[in-house]
Amino acid sequence: MSWTYNPALLGNVTLYGNPGTVQIYLLVMALMALFLLLIRKGPLSRLGRHLGRQTGLRALGIGITLYLVIAVGASIALTDDAMLGALDPGVYVGILGGLLVAAAGHLLPTHKAVGERHQRFPAWLEILVVVLLVALALAAAAYGLGIGDPALFVAFLAFVAVIAAGLARGGFFDWLSIVVGHHRTVLLLATFAAAFAFPLTQNGSDANMSIATSVLIFAATAMGLNIVVGLAGLLDLGYIAFLGAGAYVGAMLSESAFATIDWKPPFIIVALIGALFAALLGLIIGSPTLRVSGDYLAIVTLAFGEIFRLTMFNLDGNNGPDLTHGPNGIPAIPELNFFGFDFGATHAFFGVPITRFANYYFLLLLLIGFIILVFTRLNNSRIGRGWIAIREDEKAAEAMGVNVFGLKILAFAGGAFLAGLAGTVKAHQDVSVTPDQYQFLESAFLLAAVVLGGMGTVGGVLLGAVILKLLPEKLRFFADYRLLLFGLLLVLMMRFRPEGLVANRRRQLEFHDDDEALADEVEAIHTEKVT
């Protein structure tokens, strides 16, 4: 059915029998609703008994209704067409259908898989599901970045959110967590294979690969902050200073004509020096301040971030030694060159052009892999358990013999080390370094990525970094309203899912300790993983 008689709205959905992109999204959601209904009352009901607590029909129905409202509202706002009369019956029929699906999900009795064994399939089939989901995520990322129309991009985001909500409420992710627990190596290899294949899907697009490299730098820095905030529970509001420290070291030791240090070691040495210098700053700021906690620690770290930025301004030769050229920064930083491989040149791989940003993207992927390895090893070690004990109850941890102050210092220094390592790469990727790049707002976004994604998790922080770095680039058409949208997103997250998008079960129970069904489900899932 036609949704509007105005072809400027929603990519021209004025025709009958010829669905547009946003209508295809709605058809996919309708097919998913049919599937969820069949696994609740139909030939697939045996599968539904083992997928989770609810069918997700109600969430999907509400999502379909909101999808139509958001898609139409965004299109009308972006085209300056305030006339709701431009809508044809197709929109109202779709809204009615969404309400009917929600009503069906509400009226059907919910089913709980508590106490039952979650459905297991042959190993090859589970591995195939994991690989297909990773491939689907790669295809969705490539498709989403290729959308140029603002209204269509908003509609695509709403479509992904509705599908994810329906699957989550339908218990699919609970089942998937058990499958992934048995095939972690497969998931890790498939994820990195998809990540390395991502530039091949962009056909040499510098714009999309520039966004991708920014996301990876942001994600690498957020992983370091995850040690400080997610594991040790230390609120750091000046963490961006450690990224800046690494970047300035990389710039001052580079081959730039504006570099202020004559020594020009190989980049591997520069990266190590930048990381160690950032770790040293972590020790300097941590030693006198980690004896305070809570709000006082947040204020001190906030002040440290501002002190670092102002210091970079003052090292201009007038107010101090000329190390950073003050507000002008250090420009003209040359491209990296490893064993004759020029990161600034375009290379061909199976006929696909690999541009400058794609070259840095591959390097940053290797860096992300190293950071994830360090984080997971620390998290699963005695040190990680000590950090978690400090986060849960510092006094109790100290009473049990945990070296609280030493572990706090180690968390600060370790997180700063990883941020400084990422900063040395960022200096070459950005070509220049200036103090304005390291403002408080960047620290706030890093913290938001950790909290939004899920503190103490790897996948959650990576997802949070992607959301908070990718969406501002794709939502530039909202101009000054971008921060308002992110603020609204965080408020909704803290209200409905305070543990983050990807949270471990411990965090879920901390925030939902009165949910007996969740406690029973966690026990059932844990038993399934053990067996």
Side-chain angles (χ1 to χ4, degrees):
M1 299 180 67
S2 170
W3 283 15
T4 174
Y5 64 77
N6 186 349
L9 296 179
L10 300 172
N12 190 6
V13 286
T14 61
L15 304 176
Y16 282 82
N18 186 19
T21 303
V22 292
Q23 293 169 318
I24 293 176
Y25 296 159
L26 186 62
L27 289 175
V28 173
M29 289 186 282
L31 290 175
M32 182 177 173
L34 178 61
F35 172 75
L36 292 178
L37 180 62
L38 290 178
I39 67 173
R40 185 64 190 96
K41 291 291 185 180
L44 301 178
S45 57
R46 182 175 179 273
L47 177 63
R49 287 198 301 270
H50 297 280
L51 274 182
R53 295 188 296 163
Q54 299 185 35
T55 64
L57 269 179
R58 181 169 54 185
L60 191 60
I62 296 174
I64 290 174
T65 304
L66 292 177
Y67 164 80
L68 284 164
V69 173
I70 291 173
V72 171
S75 182
I76 290 176
L78 292 171
T79 55
D80 296 326
D81 191 341
M83 297 178 58
L84 289 177
L87 303 180
D88 277 350
V91 171
Y92 303 110
V93 171
I95 292 176
L96 178 61
L99 294 176
L100 289 176
V101 171
H106 179 75
L107 294 175
L108 284 174
T110 59
H111 174 78
K112 298 179 181 180
V114 176
E116 300 181 17
R117 293 179 61 86
H118 284 67
Q119 181 69 42
R120 292 297 309 278
F121 297 97
W124 66 269
L125 183 58
E126 293 180 346
I127 291 174
L128 180 62
V129 170
V130 171
V131 172
L132 288 178
L133 286 176
V134 172
L136 182 61
L138 172 62
Y143 173 78
L145 283 175
I147 298 176
D149 185 280
L152 290 181
F153 182 75
V154 173
F156 177 71
L157 291 181
F159 165 71
V160 172
V162 171
I163 292 294
L167 290 175
R169 300 301 294 173
F172 174 77
F173 291 129
D174 292 333
W175 173 82
L176 185 63
S177 66
I178 296 174
V179 172
V180 169
H182 288 82
H183 306 287
R184 292 187 183 276
T185 304
V186 174
L187 175 64
L188 182 63
L189 293 177
T191 301
F192 270 95
F196 274 100
F198 175 73
L200 304 180
T201 66
Q202 300 305 303
N203 195 27
S205 171
D206 265 346
N208 289 343
M209 292 313 303
S210 173
I211 296 174
T213 54
S214 298
V215 168
L216 287 184
I217 291 174
F218 190 78
T221 311
M223 285 298 301
L225 181 60
N226 197 22
I227 294 177
V228 180
V229 177
L231 295 185
L234 305 173
L235 185 57
D236 189 346
L237 296 180
Y239 189 76
I240 195 64
F242 301 125
L243 179 69
Y248 267 102
V249 169
M252 288 187 290
L253 295 178
S254 69
E255 298 285 347
S256 171
F258 300 92
T260 54
I261 298 179
D262 293 334
W263 185 41
K264 311 298 180 185
F267 176 73
I268 295 179
I269 304 299
V270 173
L272 184 60
I273 294 174
L276 290 175
F277 178 70
L280 178 62
L281 288 181
L283 291 174
I284 293 174
I285 186 62
S287 298
T289 60
L290 285 180
R291 299 187 185 278
V292 300
S293 59
D295 298 339
Y296 301 101
L297 178 61
I299 293 172
V300 170
T301 55
L302 172 61
F304 167 70
E306 288 301 298
I307 289 172
F308 172 82
R309 185 175 64 86
L310 294 175
T311 301
M312 296 302 103
F313 268 113
N314 291 326
L315 296 179
D316 58 356
N318 295 321
N319 302 307
D322 188 12
L323 293 177
T324 65
H325 298 314
N328 295 324
I330 302 176
I333 300 175
E335 307 289 354
L336 290 176
N337 192 307
F338 286 167
F339 306 105
F341 183 86
D342 187 1
F343 278 73
T346 299
H347 306 274
F349 185 76
F350 292 108
V352 179
I354 304 298
T355 61
R356 172 185 182 274
F357 289 106
N359 295 329
Y360 282 101
Y361 173 88
F362 287 126
L363 177 62
L364 288 166
L365 271 184
L366 296 177
L367 177 62
I368 282 283
F370 170 75
I371 291 176
I372 291 176
L373 178 64
V374 171
F375 179 86
T376 53
R377 291 296 184 184
L378 287 174
N379 189 21
N380 296 326
S381 68
R382 182 179 179 182
I383 294 174
R385 292 193 294 272
W387 282 334
I388 294 174
I390 294 172
R391 183 192 69 195
E392 299 298 328
D393 193 323
E394 182 177 330
K395 295 298 183 183
E398 187 174 9
M400 294 301 293
V402 176
N403 185 356
V404 173
F405 181 74
L407 288 179
K408 282 184 175 182
I409 287 288
L410 181 59
F412 248 70
F417 181 91
L418 298 178
L421 196 61
T424 57
V425 180
K426 176 178 170 59
H428 290 270
Q429 191 262 330
D430 288 345
V431 186
S432 65
V433 176
T434 59
D436 289 334
Q437 295 174 318
Y438 307 102
Q439 299 180 2
F440 164 72
L441 188 61
E442 296 298 323
S443 293
F445 269 94
L446 284 169
L447 181 62
V450 175
V451 176
L452 177 65
M455 292 190 296
T457 65
V458 174
V461 172
L462 294 178
L463 180 60
V466 170
I467 291 175
L468 289 181
K469 198 65 177 180
L470 173 63
L471 292 188
E473 297 295 334
K474 296 296 291 185
L475 297 180
R476 286 186 178 275
F477 48 84
F478 279 115
D480 295 335
Y481 294 99
R482 286 185 296 167
L483 291 180
L484 175 63
L485 293 176
F486 285 127
L488 179 61
L489 173 64
L490 290 176
V491 169
L492 293 176
M493 280 295 302
M494 294 305 99
R495 170 59 182 86
F496 296 104
R497 195 172 176 83
E499 66 272 21
L501 292 173
V502 181
N504 57 42
R505 296 297 177 176
R506 178 197 295 269
R507 301 290 294 177
Q508 279 188 300
L509 288 176
E510 288 177 3
F511 286 103
H512 305 283
D513 54 357
D514 58 341
D515 192 339
E516 296 182 1
L518 176 61
D520 293 339
E521 182 186 357
V522 169
E523 181 180 358
I525 293 176
H526 177 70
T527 303
E528 175 67 21
K529 287 182 177 179
V530 172
T531 56

